[in-house]
Amino acid sequence: MTEMEKQAKFDRISNLPWDVLDTILINLPLRDAARTSILSRKWRYKWTGLSQFVFDDKCFSSFLSEKARWGEIMKIIQMVRTYHRGPIEKFKLTAYCYPNFCDLEQWLQFLTEKGIKELILQDFTFMKRFKLPCCVFSCPQLSCLELYGCVLKLPSTFKGLHCLKSLQLSQVSIISDTLESLIHNCPILERLTLLNVNHLASVRIHNPSLKYLKIDSKFGDINLEHSVQLTSVDIQMIPLCRGAREHERGDASHLLQVFGCLYDVKRLIFSSRFLEWLASDKVPPERLPIMLNHLMFLDLKDIKLSNLKELMASLAIFRSCPNLEELTITVVESNSSRPTTDFLKAMCLCGFLFHKLKVGEDERNHWYQI
């Protein structure tokens, strides 16, 4: 037996099936995965065949400039485009860098041809000038899309992303009609996150498969019609002015727009200003349009006890969730030493009781039993 044959016999790692090697390598930082190229001639280009590529700060020296980082990324991308065989399921770019938009667009086109499933572009303020290429909206297997700071317009040929389950848009420039069409044409979408999204005259979410919704953005109006499977809703900001489309909803109140179909919601987080908007057009009735029988967790942030409309909206919510188990309220603008506790005591004295509440939290993060 030759020396080479002996080495091959004991080189068990190199002889593992590729799916096993791929699993090993994708759990290493990309820089370390690339370093395996020095192990032997057989390993020289193995790393370029990975099914996932994550470019983060671990890939580069902290002394490299943003433009230099993109140069290093392009060296890797060019090698991958030359030697890669098989699918690429995930691409994540979270390293501070200054991409050339033409290079990035060509790379995204390559990824769509490779059957990309997860596409994540994060933390680039300079990306606000980058228009996401149309090819991204025709990825048949795309299941997770997270975008930061780019311009998003749907192509005229857009027919939907039929495998998309999670969508996160942060500081993305998109108009209301485009957002509505995108959400509506993702038939199995389960998670939607909108963070500081620009130019939203209104947020209209019509998707019966949606389960998780988080909005922290300025908007003119909101409607959750037909989103009947929502179980977690977190809305932290409200419109600064009347919605451009308020006249279209006729007599429907804000309360009805938001709560009209939240039959199965289990978790609610609302900011004070959003509560004020909920009650801005009509004084809330004694209860909401529907009973929130499945609601277990409620978090109301920065409530102003001096604002009657906020209090009325809060009371309407309280009276509509008979099975609430956990309640968190933070209160501002009060001279009371324990305004949350005083507020809850006053409610109890008025005959309103939290029959199933197990634990609450006041504005000083002191837990107490009800």
Side-chain angles (χ1 to χ4, degrees):
M1 183 179 293
T2 66
E3 187 64 26
M4 185 175 295
E5 289 173 335
K6 290 180 180 179
Q7 291 179 359
K9 181 179 180 181
F10 291 102
D11 185 6
R12 297 178 180 175
I13 294 180
S14 296
N15 294 320
L16 288 172
W18 171 244
D19 60 336
V20 177
L21 289 176
D22 181 56
T23 301
I24 295 172
L25 292 176
I26 64 176
N27 281 285
L28 297 174
L30 184 56
R31 180 172 59 177
D32 293 338
R35 286 173 176 170
T36 61
S37 62
I38 66 173
L39 293 177
S40 68
R41 185 176 299 175
K42 182 184 290 188
W43 279 81
R44 186 174 182 181
Y45 298 114
K46 273 190 184 295
W47 67 275
T48 64
L50 291 174
S51 63
Q52 300 183 18
F53 290 90
V54 176
F55 292 93
D56 54 21
D57 288 334
K58 297 177 182 179
C59 296
F60 310 101
S61 167
S62 58
F63 298 104
L64 280 179
S65 68
E66 291 177 348
K67 288 189 176 181
R69 285 187 172 198
W70 182 250
E72 294 299 310
I73 289 173
M74 280 307 301
K75 291 179 182 178
I76 295 174
I77 285 177
Q78 288 167 0
M79 291 189 69
V80 172
R81 294 184 67 176
T82 301
Y83 296 105
H84 194 278
R85 300 292 180 270
I88 296 178
E89 297 181 351
K90 178 179 179 178
F91 175 67
K92 183 176 182 179
L93 181 59
T94 59
Y96 285 99
C97 59
Y98 206 112
N100 176 285
F101 290 168
C102 182
D103 290 339
L104 182 56
E105 185 169 343
Q106 290 179 7
W107 172 242
L108 292 177
Q109 177 66 51
F110 178 78
L111 291 176
T112 61
E113 295 169 357
K114 287 287 186 174
I116 189 73
K117 294 181 179 179
E118 294 184 51
L119 178 59
I120 302 171
L121 305 176
Q122 293 180 345
D123 300 334
F124 311 105
T125 55
F126 47 81
M127 292 283 284
K128 291 182 178 179
R129 300 187 305 275
F130 178 64
K131 182 180 177 181
L132 200 70
C134 294
C135 61
V136 173
F137 300 104
S138 59
C139 295
Q141 299 179 60
L142 190 64
S143 62
C144 175
L145 180 61
E146 296 183 18
L147 303 174
Y148 186 100
C150 60
V151 178
L152 198 158
K153 295 181 179 180
L154 296 178
S156 58
T157 56
F158 179 66
K159 296 181 180 179
L161 294 170
H162 297 284
C163 290
L164 194 70
K165 291 186 176 182
S166 178
L167 175 64
Q168 178 172 315
L169 304 179
S170 302
Q171 297 192 27
V172 167
S173 179
I174 184 173
I175 63 173
S176 298
D177 289 341
T178 300
L179 179 63
E180 180 181 14
S181 178
L182 176 59
I183 295 171
H184 183 67
N185 288 287
C186 297
I188 64 170
L189 186 68
E190 295 181 355
R191 298 180 63 85
L192 174 63
T193 303
L194 306 175
L195 305 176
N196 295 316
V197 177
N198 300 331
H199 308 306
L200 287 180
S202 61
V203 178
R204 300 183 299 279
I205 300 173
H206 301 170
N207 191 309
S209 66
L210 197 64
K211 296 179 180 179
Y212 172 91
L213 173 65
K214 178 178 175 64
I215 302 178
D216 193 342
S217 293
K218 299 175 183 178
F219 51 83
D221 200 10
I222 184 170
N223 193 314
L224 304 181
E225 185 182 1
H226 303 312
S227 302
V228 294
Q229 291 197 55
L230 278 168
T231 59
S232 178
V233 177
D234 182 347
I235 303 179
Q236 294 299 308
M237 294 182 70
I238 67 158
L240 298 179
C241 59
R242 290 285 178 177
R245 295 178 176 262
E246 282 202 27
H247 64 280
E248 295 182 5
R249 60 183 175 85
D251 295 330
S253 70
H254 292 157
L255 286 167
L256 185 60
Q257 285 177 249
V258 174
F259 288 101
C261 58
L262 297 184
Y263 309 106
D264 294 323
V265 68
K266 297 178 181 178
R267 181 181 179 89
L268 276 182
I269 302 175
F270 285 162
S271 68
S272 166
R273 297 181 67 190
F274 183 69
L275 284 171
E276 184 179 4
W277 178 81
L278 282 174
S280 62
D281 57 346
K282 294 182 180 180
V283 176
E286 185 173 326
R287 288 187 172 87
L288 297 175
I290 64 171
M291 291 297 291
L292 306 177
N293 292 319
H294 299 284
L295 187 66
M296 301 295 179
F297 176 90
L298 176 62
D299 185 354
L300 303 181
K301 297 182 178 296
D302 301 326
I303 302 300
K304 302 182 189 68
L305 296 181
S306 59
N307 189 310
L308 179 60
K309 287 190 174 181
E310 285 186 31
L311 289 179
M312 294 293 288
S314 300
L315 289 171
I317 295 173
F318 292 150
R319 293 190 180 105
S320 304
C321 48
N323 299 313
L324 191 67
E325 295 184 356
E326 187 172 342
L327 172 65
T328 300
I329 306 176
T330 54
V331 177
V332 296
E333 297 181 1
S334 174
N335 295 323
S336 172
S337 60
R338 294 290 296 276
T340 308
T341 308
D342 293 346
F343 176 48
L344 294 176
K345 286 180 178 178
M347 290 177 61
C348 293
L349 290 174
C350 291
F352 183 82
L353 300 174
F354 295 98
H355 295 286
K356 296 187 178 181
L357 195 67
K358 296 179 179 178
V359 66
E361 185 180 13
D362 70 10
E363 78 291 345
R364 295 185 176 185
N365 294 322
H366 292 156
W367 290 89
Y368 55 90
Q369 301 295 322
I370 300 296

